[in-house]
Each structure stands twice: as structure tokens, then as C-alpha cells.
Amino acid sequence: MLLVNFIIQAFLLAVTYALPSKVSPDRVFIAVKTTAKFHKTRLEPVLNTWYHTAPESTYFFTDATDRQTEQLAASVSGRNPLIVTDCPSDHSRTALSCKLEAEIGHFLMAEHDNKDWFCHLDDDNYLNTPALLDMLARYPSSQPWYLGKVSIPKKLEVLDRLQLPEKKTVKFWFATGGAGFCISRGLAEKMRPFVVDGKFQELSDTIRLPDDVTMGYLMEILLKIPLTQVSLFHSHLEPLRSIKDFDKQITFSYSKYEDTLQDNVVEFEGDNNLIDNDPTRFYKIHCKLFNQCF
């Protein structure tokens, strides 16, 4: 028994030392889902803040061209990172799954073969790039990793429509798209038959589930790859004012509570020298993390 434990510990130690201390930003493909009507209100704070920390790695998947937004992005990175899809501009299941398929499809293109990680974000996410890179360094990208955060207390149980007419239910976790999630290159290649040429949209329509839930179904049910939960991702579905240790968190978000219409945002002690007109709190977060204050 002691020999077995020694071998296990030696293996884990070897794996640990084999991992890089930090993943380089140019090894990560960061895909941000957005839509034309949110370019001004949501993308502008992103482009003025965290985009500066990963300008060469970040792409925005939208549904219309926008000269002003393109110019703002190009002023930071020297390129146009907006990818205009053929997806609908609404918030339907079809539109969402269409954009997520476009994101993964671009990651799987030959021109991005040098990327080890695919990370999805929504346009209401602030990304703490150094924290993301630190987290990714713990996982070998050649192995299948599905990293994210759940927003429900137990596994989702649904009718498995791929098994119809047999009425069989399945249970699985899924990473909430609104918090962000990451997929290793090793897993993305296993997904390829399910996520290109309209296959992901078709799967979403067949099982009648949204894009992030369909992703969880694909991972845990079809590919048998479990979600590895990472608590440092945050979505608008959680009480954001309770977040502490900002430098360790990977993503932040914002929203309003439906019942009270109060802002659900991160809170700070002392907002001196920070702009007042900051409903997303992205400028304040960026100031606190990088001392780049507007």
C-alpha cells in the first residue's frame, strides 16, 4: 500500500512540475458573444478595460458590422477583432447556439492550431486575464478539460430526446455561459464532429436546450467528460457584492435584481478617484486590479 501511495505521489509531482507556471496569452482563444444592440453599452466598457490585457487573443462574435466599435478595438490592438456571423440578432436558442458554434468553429480552424485553450465569455463579463492564465496552467491542455461554474444546486435532469421514443432521463452539470468557461485543445478535438457544419445547432434544437446547457449535455452525456468546477468564475446570476479577493477571481459580471431593480454589482471600499458613471463597475475593477484608472 505504501508503495502504491508513493507511486501516485511521484506521478502527481511529475505532472505538477511538467506544467508551465503560467499559460501565455497567445495560447488562449478568448471568444466573446455579443450582439449589435449591445456594442455601445456592453462592448465599450470591455474594450476600454480588460481587452487591453489580451488584445491579440480576444475575438467578438456578433451579428452586424459596426465601424465605431471596430475603430475603438483597432485603436487598442491594431486589428479588427469583430467577427460578424450569420446568426440571428435575438436571444433565441437558435441565435445563441449559432454563435457558440461559430466561436468553437473558429477556434478549430487551422490558423488557430497554436491555441491550447478555448474560453467563452459573454459581453457582460469582465475578464481578469492574469487569474485566467494562472488557473489554466494547472491543467494540461492536451488532456480533455471542461472548466467552468454551475449556477444550479444539483445536476440538471431532462428527458433525453436523442433516445426517443424511449422516455429516458439524463442528469448532468453544465458550465453557466454567463460566467465564462474554458475547453482544452484535447477536448475540443474530441468535440469536432459535434460542433461544426451546423451540428451543434442541430443538437441544441433536437434536445431543446440553450447553448451552454447543450454544451454540458455534449460533454457529460455524449463525450463522458465531467465538468471541473472552478469557483473563480462569476455570472450575473449570483450576488456579486459578496465577492472578495478581486485579484484571484477570473470573471465578474453585473445585472439588476428583477424584484427590486437594485444593481447587482461588485462593491468596493472607497471609490475615490474613480469615475461615477460606471454601472458595470468594469472601470473600477480595472483600476483596482491594474491601477489603470479612468
Side-chain angles (χ1 to χ4, degrees), residues 140-211:
S141 63
S142 59
Q143 297 179 13
W145 292 104
Y146 172 39
L147 310 173
K149 186 177 185 177
V150 301
S151 59
I152 53 178
K154 61 182 181 180
K155 288 186 175 184
L156 180 67
E157 183 174 8
V158 297
L159 176 67
D160 191 349
R161 295 185 177 277
L162 289 188
Q163 303 299 324
L164 293 176
E166 180 182 354
K167 292 187 177 181
K168 177 185 176 183
T169 62
V170 288
K171 296 180 181 180
F172 60 94
W173 291 116
F174 66 93
T176 299
F181 60 82
C182 295
I183 297 168
S184 64
R185 169 63 67 176
L187 178 52
E189 294 300 335
K190 292 179 180 291
M191 295 165 54
R192 188 184 288 270
F194 301 93
V195 296
V196 297
D197 299 327
K199 296 293 180 59
F200 186 77
Q201 294 179 69
E202 182 181 334
L203 177 62
S204 178
D205 288 340
T206 299
I207 63 178
R208 301 182 187 178
L209 294 174
D211 55 334

Side-chain angles (χ1 to χ4, degrees), residues 103-156:
E103 295 173 26
I104 300 172
H106 273 75
F107 173 70
L108 290 172
M109 288 180 176
E111 64 188 271
H112 298 301
D113 281 348
N114 64 319
K115 305 289 187 181
D116 295 329
W117 290 94
F118 166 87
C119 293
H120 161 88
L121 300 173
D122 279 352
D123 56 7
D124 59 353
N125 286 132
Y126 179 99
L127 174 65
N128 181 2
T129 303
L132 173 70
L133 300 179
D134 284 342
M135 183 274 292
L136 293 179
R138 303 172 196 167
Y139 304 94
S141 63
S142 59
Q143 297 179 13
W145 292 104
Y146 172 39
L147 310 173
K149 186 177 185 177
V150 301
S151 59
I152 53 178
K154 61 182 181 180
K155 288 186 175 184
L156 180 67

Side-chain angles (χ1 to χ4, degrees), residues 256-262:
K256 286 185 180 293
Y257 291 109
E258 292 184 0
D259 53 347
T260 64
L261 297 182
Q262 289 185 324

Side-chain angles (χ1 to χ4, degrees), residues 32 34 38-47 60 69 123:
V32 181
T34 188
F38 289 142
H39 286 178
K40 175 66 175 177
T41 56
R42 294 189 179 185
L43 279 199
E44 188 171 299
V46 167
L47 292 171
F60 300 92
T69 300
D123 56 7

Side-chain angles (χ1 to χ4, degrees), residues 146 172-175 211-221:
Y146 172 39
F172 60 94
W173 291 116
F174 66 93
D211 55 334
D212 53 354
V213 186
T214 299
M215 185 63 68
Y217 177 90
L218 170 58
M219 300 300 196
E220 295 211 339
I221 302 303

Side-chain angles (χ1 to χ4, degrees), residues 38-77:
F38 289 142
H39 286 178
K40 175 66 175 177
T41 56
R42 294 189 179 185
L43 279 199
E44 188 171 299
V46 167
L47 292 171
N48 285 330
T49 58
W50 72 257
Y51 179 65
H52 287 249
T53 67
E56 300 301 324
S57 303
T58 305
Y59 301 82
F60 300 92
F61 290 78
T62 187
D63 40 55
T65 56
D66 180 344
R67 183 82 173 161
Q68 184 175 354
T69 300
E70 291 171 3
Q71 290 177 340
L72 177 58
S75 70
V76 178
S77 62

